[in-house]
Amino acid sequence: MQNPLVIGILNGDDIGHEIVPAAVEVTRAAAAKTGLLIDWRPMPIGRTALEAQGSTFPDGTLEAVSGMDGFILGPIGHQAYPKVPGAINPHPILRKRLNLFANIRPTRSYPGLGAIHDDIDLVIVRENNEGFQPDRNVVAGSGEFRPTDDVTISVRVITRLGSARVARVALEIARQRRKRLTLVHKDTVFKLGCGMFVEECRRVAREFPDVAVDEVIVDTMAMRLVRDPQTFDVVVTTNMFGDILTDEAAGLVGGLGMAPGLCIGDGSLAMAQATHGSAPDIAGKGIANPYAMIESTRMMIEWLGHNRGVEQAVKAAALMEGAITAALADPATRTRDIKGSGNTRDMTRGIVAAIEAA
Ligand code: ATP
């Protein structure tokens, strides 16, 4: 008998309380259908944890999730946290302490959603722990500082190790897809930083002769994503470029509700995390698009299936994929941001019904 996959449920804030339960409900339905055993472990995080335990990231949460196979992290609304000692942003701590260095963000079209393009299927792999992000590119303190009132310095960290390992993740994904990888950088200006990133990517790519590699400068990439996104398969880039390009790509297929993501590192665990934030403007209304969270969770289940050799998980992920596509094809089972007439519940129920009917 299969050992249960241990998966944490961390709702996060605002719409996290609506879309994370939706992702769990869909996964439970697929698991029941395929015989996949999951030991679900709800964990405290965010504003509810602050109210109950005095911290948005209570002691023990990090240790607990680090021993799991994976976890769902709902969006964190840290910008609205009160200025009290227990209110901290858990994101950088999770990504850094769990060494989740690769952020895999697919952009996929589902026809009929009124999106700018109807035929996109690409994956942006974003380096997750270095670059310009000041909250995670140093061990202590911040990668941004102000030596005088009139001067601010933002540090960008690029390492050979960080660049090589994210390149390897991207190349492995490309190998399973259309075997094309685009390196996005700006070594024309950032000769040392982007220079090192691209040097390492090229070096690792030599181990993947079956993957065709090309390079695009980031500003050209921003334009080409709008004009001819169909020409891309897998893209790998540094942290901030990836952050910006993935939101741009989401805009091409229906908006932030359509932007899933999976964070992985050395293979020990995976974190399902949608690209979007906690959307406080629509929280509590029951209208949030659960796609990004459900698809992020599906990606995690698929990854665990391959990584842990659990056949039922691979089957459950395939079942979820078909059911998501079926629900998205019907306006009654998709949300209004993607030209539907339904709400979060309708879409979740639609996906569950498609799983049960499969
Ligand atoms: P962060 O900085 O934390 O990533 P943000 O400032 O980018 O957050 P979001 O919370 O992602 O902001 O929201 C941006 C806009 O997208 C808001 O109008 C929000 O309602 C919308 N949005 C985000 N996620 C969803 C979703 N799942 N369904 C529908 N609309 C969404």
Side-chain angles (χ1 to χ4, degrees), residues 15 79 256-257 276-279 281-282 288-289 337:
I15 62 165
Q79 273 140 7
L256 282 176
H276 60 73
S278 66
D281 53 332
I282 56 166
N289 181 348
D337 56 310

Side-chain angles (χ1 to χ4, degrees), residues 8-354:
I9 307 171
L10 286 72
N11 275 3
D13 296 302
D14 302 314
I15 62 165
H17 296 291
E18 299 158 55
I19 60 173
V20 173
V24 173
E25 189 178 332
V26 167
T27 311
R28 275 186 197 279
K33 192 93 180 176
T34 55
L36 171 66
L37 301 179
I38 300 178
D39 176 359
W40 294 102
R41 305 263 176 95
M43 297 297 303
I45 200 162
R47 205 180 262 273
T48 48
L50 181 69
E51 280 152 20
Q53 289 170 253
S55 171
T56 53
F57 198 43
D59 286 347
T61 298
L62 180 68
E63 292 70 21
V65 294
S66 66
M68 297 178 184
D69 290 298
F71 62 100
I72 305 174
L73 178 66
I76 301 288
H78 63 92
Q79 273 140 7
Y81 286 169
K83 301 276 172 279
V84 295
I88 50 168
N89 176 8
H91 276 153
I93 306 170
L94 281 164
R95 284 171 173 165
K96 195 83 187 170
R97 295 282 297 278
L98 300 177
N99 204 18
L100 298 166
F101 57 79
N103 191 345
I104 303 164
R105 292 180 161 183
T107 302
R108 187 171 173 183
S109 299
Y110 293 86
L113 307 191
I116 297 171
H117 288 276
D118 263 354
D119 52 356
I120 303 178
D121 179 13
L122 61 87
V123 178
I124 297 178
V125 181
R126 162 194 177 198
E127 199 293 318
N128 212 16
N129 278 354
E130 305 185 337
F132 258 127
Q133 264 65 356
D135 58 0
R136 70 192 83 143
N137 65 8
V138 290
V139 166
S142 157
E144 252 192 337
F145 54 98
R146 184 162 293 173
T148 77
D149 277 343
D150 304 314
V151 177
T152 300
I153 298 176
S154 301
V155 177
R156 180 189 190 211
V157 175
I158 301 287
T159 67
R160 290 200 185 279
L161 173 71
S163 306
R165 64 191 182 181
V166 75
R168 188 172 298 282
V169 169
L171 283 153
E172 275 160 8
I173 294 171
R175 184 170 261 175
Q176 303 303 319
R177 290 173 44 97
R178 301 193 300 275
K179 297 187 170 44
R180 293 200 42 230
L181 177 70
T182 303
L183 316 179
V184 172
H185 57 82
K186 196 169 173 84
D187 73 348
T188 44
V189 174
F190 298 98
K191 292 184 192 309
L192 297 181
C194 282
M196 181 179 284
F197 176 77
V198 77
E199 220 173 277
E200 287 305 307
C201 290
R202 288 182 198 135
R203 188 179 61 75
V204 180
R206 287 200 284 275
E207 296 170 36
F208 293 74
D210 51 322
V211 177
V213 177
D214 66 349
E215 296 179 24
V216 179
I217 298 297
V218 65
D219 36 338
T220 306
M221 183 69 190
M223 179 275 295
R224 285 198 49 200
L225 256 187
V226 175
R227 207 179 63 177
D228 54 3
Q230 302 82 358
T231 56
F232 297 102
D233 178 16
V234 181
V235 173
V236 66
T237 191
T238 50
N239 200 340
M240 194 176 68
F241 294 163
D243 195 21
I244 297 167
L245 293 175
T246 49
D247 268 32
E248 183 189 344
L252 302 175
V253 295
L256 282 176
M258 298 304 292
L262 183 71
C263 294
I264 58 167
D266 60 8
S268 55
L269 90 165
M271 176 173 86
Q273 187 189 27
T275 294
H276 60 73
S278 66
D281 53 332
I282 56 166
K285 297 182 179 163
I287 58 170
N289 181 348
Y291 169 84
M293 199 70 258
I294 294 172
E295 174 61 15
S296 304
T297 306
R298 193 202 69 76
M299 288 168 69
M300 176 175 70
I301 296 293
E302 185 177 47
W303 184 86
L304 285 172
H306 293 301
N307 185 274
R308 305 283 197 269
V310 179
E311 198 191 325
Q312 296 94 324
V314 176
K315 284 189 182 150
L319 194 56
M320 288 168 76
E321 186 171 17
I324 291 167
T325 306
L328 284 172
D330 181 353
T333 51
R334 59 176 197 247
T335 46
R336 277 178 264 163
D337 56 310
I338 46 173
K339 301 278 183 287
S341 56
N343 57 24
T344 313
R345 284 299 309 143
D346 298 325
M347 189 154 159
T348 309
R349 280 207 204 97
I351 299 171
V352 168

